[in-house]
Amino acid sequence: MNAADGTLGWTTVAAVTSAHPATLSSLTDGASNFDVVIVGTGMGGSAVAFRLAGQGCRVLMLERGQPPLQVATAENNTFLYSAQPLGHEFRIVGGKSKYYGAALYRFRESDFKERAVENGISPAWPIRYDDLESYYCEAEEIYRVHGASTGDPTEPWRSRPYPHDRLPHDPLVARIAARLQANGVPTAAIPRGIDYGPGGSCVLCGQCDAHYCVRDAKMDADTATLRPALAAGNVKLLYGAECLKVLVDPSGRRAEGVLVRHDGQEKRILAGQVVVSAGFPHSALLLRRSRMSIHPEGVGNASGWLGRGVAAHSTGTLFPVVGLRPLGARHTKTFAINAWADAGPDWPHPLGVAQIAGQTPFWLLTSKAKRPLVRAIGERSLHVFHMGEALPTKETGWSFDGDELGNLTPPVHRPEAYGRLRHLVRACFRELGYPVIAPRRPVEFWHETGGAIMGADPETSVTDAQGRVHGVENLHVADATVLPSASSVNTGLTIVALSLRTADAVLEAAGAQAPAARHRLRSAPQDRATADIPC
Ligand SMILES: Cc1cc2nc3c(=O)[nH]c(=O)nc-3n(C[C@H](O)[C@H](O)[C@H](O)COP(=O)(O)OP(=O)(O)OC[C@H]3O[C@@H](n4cnc5c(N)ncnc54)[C@H](O)[C@@H]3O)c2cc1C
Ligand code: SF4
């Protein structure tokens, strides 16, 4: 909202109250033409905007949430996480990434190929790692990823080194990593997207995972891509605006624009290209709500796969108690154990990875009676987050109940792999003499993907390999929902890389050539943006 007059305004996030005053009502219904409309400002949608920035096309971004500074003001760096089963709700400009842990991994080469595991199949992608490698390089540059290629046996080939050196360990974490290595357990740097180093504003504080960064030093969808895109001038953001449906012409083959609601007002906004980046599971839901006579079950749902093919990571946490006294605020999220990503001892299938997570006051989620004990453990431990791939099938995901989500069938959990990984990780720390608290909790699914999966065959997917919805020439999806599987490493960098690739397809469909590398917008430090704008 524009603070001055209460109307919805065009705005940049960096100057939320005054920039570019205009109102939704100034858009004549059905006559406001944009070259591209993007629904959602998460990692996917903002990466598309970043690529389209400065390319001479008029781009409108729609976001149902509010700018970060208006969401929680003084308390906006508080811990924000509740153990919802799947599909955490984040109504905020930048989406889930405002609270994410900034662990930015490339998927492994094997993740793109079909792989049979003990209780199912991890499906093949319609593209290979090699098709995405140059986009990974770009995504790492934009998100200022700090990493190192040593210590991770599953690290895929790369044409460029990490743009920034790995983060330094906190001294305590360094000692523990060294002891693990001396005991034969390979540890690897966690690649992290943060603005650390000379001139950077990150201070490696203890409140990164599941917190909003008050220094704007976390490289998220907002800071890394949206703000530079808005600074380029041809990209506008309308927040507090919910897209109700994608408008498709009577032939069913062309998107005409979108229907948007704000403050009870509904408007049709016309566009040459529509990109749905509403995230999991909202992109699938939006395509469902856009159904019409030619697409009776939802746009892109001729195959019945809309809402389906949902995958995730089966996750759990272990707490090696590494101190007698509280550890105090430390930046702990700097190493991972990836040795068993592809197979385990006497086990031919992928197990997953373990990461030292950031410090979070998770005891706030426990009952008042248990809280003192849980807190005492939490403050003396490393929080070791382990995760392995939970598989997609045609059954996993959401059914629809009219315009709403219906029943959820969770991804296929792999209890044997989960148990083996947990046992191995626990043993690593026990062998060093640390007691390990291993709470018995039901598995939690994180980093969910799917619902509008990409594929070569329209019978088994929603979009093609470029993210274009099958059968609709100018409608693309760019976010977590297109990923055909979740790998066992974090999904964010792959969402960004795929979305940059989809943006090139959007530009081509809009009649513009994808910009040559030298004409692409470069990553710029947040609202200090000095974008290298071509044309
Ligand atoms: C606590 C937490 C920690 C995480 N840590 C990591 C990590 O360390 N590394 C990693 O790689 N991943 C991590 N993830 C996962 C990662 O953040 C997400 O996979 C990624 O941000 C998803 O991006 P997205 O573009 O798919 O969509 P979202 O982030 O879901 O964005 C979609 C946006 O669309 C908006 N929207 C939805 N519907 C509409 C509509 N109808 N009209 C207008 N706007 C709409 C939403 O408000 C939202 O802003 C974490 C996630 C969480 C929750
Ligand atoms: S470590 Fe702290 S300062 Fe650095 S990005 Fe994370 S929250 Fe921001």
Side-chain angles (χ1 to χ4, degrees):
M1 298 283 287
N2 184 315
D5 61 10
T7 56
L8 184 71
W10 302 115
T11 186
T12 65
V13 177
V16 288
T17 54
S18 59
H20 312 300
T23 61
L24 183 61
S25 53
S26 72
L27 300 174
T28 312
D29 186 33
S32 323
N33 281 298
F34 288 88
D35 296 308
V36 184
V37 165
I38 303 169
V39 181
T41 58
M43 294 181 93
S46 294
V48 175
F50 185 88
R51 173 64 99 242
L52 301 185
Q55 295 309 313
C57 46
R58 289 157 303 158
V59 180
L60 173 64
M61 300 193 75
L62 297 170
E63 169 55 55
R64 65 181 183 173
Q66 296 292 324
L69 294 177
Q70 293 186 7
V71 168
T73 59
E75 293 186 333
N76 63 6
N77 73 328
T78 49
F79 175 55
L80 187 94
Y81 162 54
S82 63
Q84 298 172 41
L86 271 174
H88 305 252
E89 283 279 335
F90 288 88
R91 287 178 179 250
I92 185 170
V93 171
K96 298 174 182 109
S97 69
K98 289 308 296 182
Y99 291 88
Y100 83 150
L104 291 176
Y105 278 91
R106 296 176 177 212
F107 276 15
R108 319 285 105 166
E109 288 172 78
S110 55
D111 290 326
F112 294 81
K113 301 172 187 163
E114 181 175 300
R115 185 164 47 180
V117 297
E118 71 283 7
N119 60 347
I121 289 177
S122 180
W125 287 41
I127 58 172
R128 290 286 177 262
Y129 173 80
D130 295 15
D131 298 315
L132 212 50
E133 201 279 336
S134 65
Y135 292 97
Y136 273 131
C137 290
E138 226 180 320
E140 286 175 342
E141 190 191 327
I142 294 166
Y143 272 74
R144 299 183 199 182
V145 177
H146 295 249
S149 294
T150 50
D152 181 351
T154 63
E155 165 96 358
W157 71 269
R158 52 172 55 247
S159 59
R160 277 190 237 162
Y162 280 99
H164 302 277
D165 285 345
R166 60 176 297 165
L167 295 178
H169 285 313
D170 166 90
L172 172 71
V173 176
R175 278 198 300 279
I176 296 169
R179 291 191 67 202
L180 283 166
Q181 284 187 339
N183 211 26
V185 179
T187 64
I190 300 179
R192 302 285 307 289
I194 58 181
D195 184 23
Y196 176 77
S201 44
C202 172
V203 294
L204 290 182
C205 74
Q207 291 194 323
C208 205
D209 274 19
H211 290 83
Y212 173 99
C213 177
V214 283
R215 295 171 186 273
D216 272 346
K218 195 189 287 189
M219 300 311 289
D220 55 37
D222 167 30
T223 56
T225 44
L226 181 60
R227 294 184 198 186
L230 294 173
N234 64 315
V235 179
K236 304 285 186 190
L237 167 66
L238 198 58
Y239 54 77
E242 178 166 16
C243 178
L244 302 177
K245 58 165 66 175
V246 178
L247 303 168
V248 179
D249 79 0
S251 77
R253 290 199 290 270
R254 270 199 75 77
E256 295 180 314
V258 290
L259 180 66
V260 182
R261 179 169 59 206
H262 174 261
D263 267 355
Q265 264 193 76
E266 290 187 10
K267 288 273 181 206
R268 291 185 319 134
I269 297 176
L270 302 187
Q273 303 285 324
V274 175
V275 181
V276 173
S277 299
F280 177 94
H282 299 285
S283 285
L285 185 59
L286 186 56
L287 293 177
R288 166 70 180 183
R289 288 177 175 167
S290 307
R291 64 194 186 281
M292 52 174 310
S293 54
I294 308 267
H295 302 287
E297 297 302 325
V299 176
N301 198 18
S303 61
W305 275 81
L306 191 67
R308 305 294 182 164
V310 166
H313 295 150
S314 297
T315 68
T317 314
L318 295 165
F319 299 94
V321 180
V322 296
L324 292 175
R325 285 198 293 265
L327 307 183
R330 293 166 189 271
H331 192 86
T332 48
K333 190 169 180 167
T334 48
F335 81 81
I337 303 170
N338 289 1
W340 306 297
D342 274 340
D346 305 321
W347 179 254
H349 305 297
L351 290 182
V353 301
Q355 295 171 358
I356 310 305
Q359 295 177 317
T360 56
F362 61 89
W363 47 87
L364 296 176
L365 304 173
T366 60
S367 69
K368 277 196 174 160
K370 285 189 188 159
R371 201 168 296 169
L373 176 64
V374 176
R375 179 174 184 161
I377 294 167
E379 288 182 337
R380 289 162 176 78
S381 322
L382 293 183
H383 305 178
V384 183
F385 191 63
H386 60 89
M387 55 196 199
E389 183 177 0
L391 303 170
T393 69
K394 187 168 182 185
E395 282 68 47
T396 63
W398 305 91
S399 62
F400 296 106
D401 182 4
D403 271 352
E404 302 304 326
L405 294 170
N407 294 327
L408 171 68
T409 303
V412 179
H413 176 49
R414 299 167 49 220
E416 176 83 28
Y418 179 91
R420 283 174 180 262
L421 177 63
R422 195 168 167 83
H423 176 79
L424 284 164
V425 177
R426 191 178 184 180
C428 287
F429 288 95
R430 278 189 162 173
E431 281 173 19
L432 300 186
Y434 302 122
V436 178
I437 309 299
R440 284 179 180 273
R441 283 216 314 250
V443 62
E444 278 186 15
F445 293 113
W446 275 75
H447 307 142
E448 55 274 2
T449 62
I453 59 168
M454 58 196 269
D457 181 357
E459 297 293 314
T460 55
S461 55
V462 175
T463 80
D464 68 14
Q466 268 66 42
R468 189 179 66 92
V469 173
H470 291 304
V472 188
E473 60 197 52
N474 58 343
L475 176 60
H476 288 79
V477 182
D479 59 22
T481 61
V482 297
L483 274 63
S485 60
S487 172
S488 59
V489 293
N490 311 61
T491 49
L493 194 75
T494 300
I495 294 170
V496 175
L498 277 176
S499 301
L500 291 170
R501 187 169 179 271
T502 293
D504 283 348
V506 171
L507 272 172
E508 208 176 312
Q513 287 292 319
R518 67 198 164 83
H519 282 152
R520 290 172 181 170
L521 196 65
R522 298 274 175 235
S523 170
Q526 300 98 19
D527 38 350
R528 289 172 267 129
T530 48
D532 166 16
I533 302 166
C535 308

